[in-house]
Amino acid sequence: VPIDHESPPGSSNADESELLIPHPSYTPSEVVRFQIEALSKNNEPYNNAGIKVAFTFASPENKRTTGPFERFIRIVYNPLYRQILDHQIAHYGELRIEGDQATQIVLLIAANGERVGYIFSLSKQEGGRFDQCWMTDGVFLLRKFQEV
């Protein structure tokens, strides 16, 4: 699967120009993995780079309620979502797709060893810049759990 960047890959600057952006070839599962993997190294290659990836894959509807980016950062640092940042291990549950809607559960072992689960809700966009791209409509705390 090709990786779509805002600038050509291999650029000498590891900064926002290398940020992944939504692309119609990405599956819902890939979209979730891109975000989870970026959030596991949130401050690489720059501060809040992982949160920037998550915001980039947030659907326009999601951004209407969680944006702008500075507000989105505060939301991710909220206790409901903080465990996603710099987590140790991620286990991906079954992906469920119904038409243009998808959900996937992700179970994490947080940096502090706490076990927590989230459900990602995605939709395939229609029209506009991200036509036919899967994007995240919401991420919801599932529950804390004992075993992975």
Side-chain angles (χ1 to χ4, degrees), residues 32-47:
V32 171
R33 284 180 185 269
F34 291 153
Q35 293 173 83
I36 290 294
E37 289 172 8
L39 291 164
S40 75
K41 306 176 290 237
N42 183 49
N43 292 319
E44 295 175 21
Y46 56 88
N47 250 4

Side-chain angles (χ1 to χ4, degrees), residues 87-105:
H87 62 271
Q88 299 175 35
I89 299 171
H91 295 277
Y92 298 88
E94 179 185 351
L95 174 69
R96 296 181 185 268
I97 302 175
E98 292 184 24
D100 63 354
Q101 303 291 312
T103 56
Q104 185 165 29
I105 293 173

Side-chain angles (χ1 to χ4, degrees), residues 53-106:
V53 170
F55 187 71
T56 300
F57 280 92
S59 68
E61 185 65 29
N62 184 344
K63 286 179 180 173
R64 277 192 272 285
T65 58
T66 62
F69 180 60
E70 294 72 25
R71 182 170 186 264
F72 191 80
I73 290 171
R74 289 192 304 274
I75 291 169
V76 177
Y77 278 99
N78 175 291
L80 286 176
Y81 298 103
R82 185 178 302 149
Q83 302 294 35
I84 291 178
L85 298 174
D86 304 313
H87 62 271
Q88 299 175 35
I89 299 171
H91 295 277
Y92 298 88
E94 179 185 351
L95 174 69
R96 296 181 185 268
I97 302 175
E98 292 184 24
D100 63 354
Q101 303 291 312
T103 56
Q104 185 165 29
I105 293 173
V106 180

